[in-house]
Amino acid sequence: MRTDSSPGSLPAREHLPAAGAGTPVLDVVVPVYNEEKDLGPCVRRLHEHLTRTFPYAFRITVADNASTDGTPRVAAGLAADLGTVRSVRLEQKGRGRALRTVWSASEAPVLAYMDVDLSTDLNALLPLVAPLISGHSDLAIGSRLARSSRVVRGAKREFISRTYNLILRGSLQARFSDAQCGFKAIRRDVAQVLLPLVEDTGWFFDTEMLVLAERAGCRIHEVPVDWVDDPDSTVHIVRTATEDLKGVWRVGKALATGSLPLDRLGRPFGDDPRDRELSGVPQGLARQLVGFCVVGALSTLFYLLLYSGFRHFTGSQLANALALLVSAIANTAANRRLTFGVRGRGGAVRHQAQGLVVFGIGLALTSGSLAALGAASADPDHSTELAVLIAANLAATVLRFLLFRAWVFPDAEPTAPAREPGLRPEPHLPDPYRAWSDATVRLQPVRHADTDHSRDAR
């Protein structure tokens, strides 16, 4: 996994300005390998659709993946006939390599790609890229697995697709629904930051890019699509599935070991309402409470196991004190990192010292409970002791959270990520939906080299 690159910071989302004629806002890449028969009809149909429906200037780029048939000749002919089509030749195969090469060199602010078979209905193209133009989202994908999608394909491909996406959800905690649909778009400024981190050059390229984008905090927009399987597809299903599983293992390992510099991709989120300062509304309380409860449950289990072990060698009071001391140190360290998001060694000793004070309060509660139980019963059984300790620890847990939040980690509440020195302040961002509407109204008719009629006239 690439770890030597410094990706910088993801940009704030802004509505793209209306562009003049000849300046492409959208660059649609069609990666091909030995597609001389389908390439011409595909590009002409796509060009006609964009000319008729798309309200911005566009370009279609044919990315030839080292074809050995007549594909380069067909691509060159299309570029000569249609002014908004260009052809790029690569001497190495790989869909991911083709997309990385074209996207990295393109000046269009929105980059998309689709398969040459046009299995996806083109009516989904404008809904795919509109959220990127408006500044609402960073990436957009067509989903064949959405409830409202209409898909025609065989049982074998259906099973493989759903199984693969279940694997992604279970292993990489992916929340997007369809990783491999050949119908995606990304903002160029986001691509410039993410692409150096994507290692795969083949079919896993899409999945890797989406997983990294999601982990970096990007917003991924999903569009339900109408999709018809191409029975003549040249994709080798078994080989592709094997490579995908290898990619899942590689990315999962990189995420687990922290070798990816995703923490440096912190987006300023100038349009994120969670970063707004609101008086009287404590920030991050719900997230901290959930994290504290999870850590508390694990700490309680750890404490009970320690207590049961120590109880075989000593009395109940000493066993309780030792178990509570060890679990309290672990609890403070876990809450410091996971619940309140404090990283680094700075203040760690002070936090542990304050945590021991909180531990003392918990010790007083639990020891007092055991003393009261001993006074009530000369020889209480082990299960009764555990029940009393659980009740006492619940009370101590509530007090511990309040003390952690107000005293031990008072400055750890999440705020907008600090910007690196030298970066300019982020501008105020307009409402994306209103901006999209306003910009669309301001659009002027766009003329292309191959026609004297504007789209509005059509």
Side-chain angles (χ1 to χ4, degrees), residues 408-431:
V408 182
F409 307 107
D411 301 322
E413 294 187 5
T415 56
R419 299 183 180 91
E420 297 179 7
L423 292 181
R424 62 180 177 83
E426 299 298 337
H428 173 71
L429 300 180
D431 180 277

Side-chain angles (χ1 to χ4, degrees), residues 1 25 33 52 136 143 149 152 173 190 214 256 260 278 349:
M1 210 63 192
V25 171
Y33 173 73
R52 178 170 48 85
H136 176 269
S143 176
S149 297
V152 178
Q173 287 78 52
V190 177
E214 193 172 67
L260 283 168
L278 299 177
V349 176

Side-chain angles (χ1 to χ4, degrees), residues 287-288 332-352 354 404-405 407-414:
R287 183 190 62 79
Q288 289 179 355
T332 300
N335 276 307
R336 181 178 187 270
R337 175 64 176 84
L338 302 177
T339 303
F340 297 96
V342 180
R343 295 172 173 81
R345 298 181 179 180
V349 176
R350 175 174 58 85
H351 291 153
Q352 283 291 352
Q354 291 173 310
F404 273 171
R405 183 175 171 84
W407 180 48
V408 182
F409 307 107
D411 301 322
E413 294 187 5

Side-chain angles (χ1 to χ4, degrees), residues 115-406:
D115 292 335
V116 70
D117 56 16
L118 294 185
S119 294
T120 306
D121 183 12
L122 291 178
N123 286 327
L125 183 55
L126 183 56
L128 183 81
V129 301
L132 308 188
I133 294 174
S134 72
H136 176 269
S137 301
D138 304 298
L139 297 90
I141 64 175
S143 176
R144 298 163 295 184
L145 302 180
R147 288 183 179 272
S148 56
S149 297
R150 292 174 289 191
V151 177
V152 178
R153 62 177 166 181
K156 180 180 179 181
R157 284 182 175 267
E158 181 77 11
F159 174 78
I160 292 175
S161 178
R162 292 188 178 274
T163 301
Y164 179 65
N165 284 281
L166 285 176
I167 291 174
L168 293 180
R169 288 177 176 270
S171 59
L172 300 179
Q173 287 78 52
R175 292 176 301 203
F176 46 85
S177 66
D178 192 349
Q180 290 288 39
C181 180
F183 197 71
K184 295 183 177 69
I186 185 172
R187 286 175 65 108
R188 180 172 61 92
D189 49 10
V190 177
Q192 288 175 338
V193 178
L194 283 180
L195 290 183
L197 301 179
V198 180
E199 182 174 335
D200 191 80
T201 59
W203 292 95
F204 187 70
F205 174 88
D206 305 48
T207 302
E208 186 171 355
M209 180 181 67
L210 289 172
V211 169
L212 298 186
E214 193 172 67
R215 292 299 184 97
C218 295
R219 177 175 286 164
I220 300 175
H221 176 72
E222 296 199 14
V223 178
V225 297
D226 296 343
W227 194 86
V228 179
D229 188 16
D230 178 14
D232 298 325
S233 175
T234 59
V235 178
H236 194 289
I237 298 178
V238 176
R239 183 170 62 242
T240 301
T242 302
E243 294 300 320
D244 285 346
L245 292 178
K246 291 180 181 178
V248 170
W249 170 258
R250 174 176 53 81
V251 172
K253 182 180 178 181
L255 293 173
T257 58
S259 61
L260 283 168
L262 295 179
D263 57 333
R264 298 206 299 268
L265 295 180
R267 164 188 288 285
F269 275 125
D271 56 348
D272 196 326
R274 294 172 296 181
D275 292 338
R276 297 173 186 169
E277 297 284 345
L278 299 177
S279 59
V281 179
Q283 296 184 7
L285 176 60
R287 183 190 62 79
Q288 289 179 355
L289 188 58
V290 171
F292 183 83
C293 289
V294 172
V295 172
L298 296 176
S299 298
T300 300
L301 178 60
F302 183 47
Y303 159 79
L304 292 175
L305 292 175
L306 290 174
Y307 176 81
S308 298
F310 291 143
R311 190 67 175 84
H312 291 295
F313 308 103
T314 185
S316 62
Q317 291 288 3
L318 182 57
N320 173 64
L322 290 174
L324 197 58
L325 175 61
V326 175
S327 61
I329 293 174
N331 180 277
T332 300
N335 276 307
R336 181 178 187 270
R337 175 64 176 84
L338 302 177
T339 303
F340 297 96
V342 180
R343 295 172 173 81
R345 298 181 179 180
V349 176
R350 175 174 58 85
H351 291 153
Q352 283 291 352
Q354 291 173 310
L356 289 177
V357 174
V358 178
F359 150 75
I361 298 174
L363 177 62
L365 284 174
T366 53
S367 297
S369 300
L370 285 176
L373 177 62
S377 175
D379 187 20
D381 56 30
H382 188 61
S383 61
T384 304
E385 285 184 349
L386 289 180
V388 170
L389 286 174
I390 291 173
N393 268 287
L394 287 176
T397 297
V398 175
L399 182 60
R400 187 183 302 119
F401 176 74
L402 296 176
L403 289 175
F404 273 171
R405 183 175 171 84

Side-chain angles (χ1 to χ4, degrees), residues 2-24:
R2 290 187 174 92
T3 59
D4 56 344
S5 58
S6 179
S9 180
L10 285 168
R13 305 186 189 105
E14 294 183 88
H15 191 294
L16 298 176
T23 304

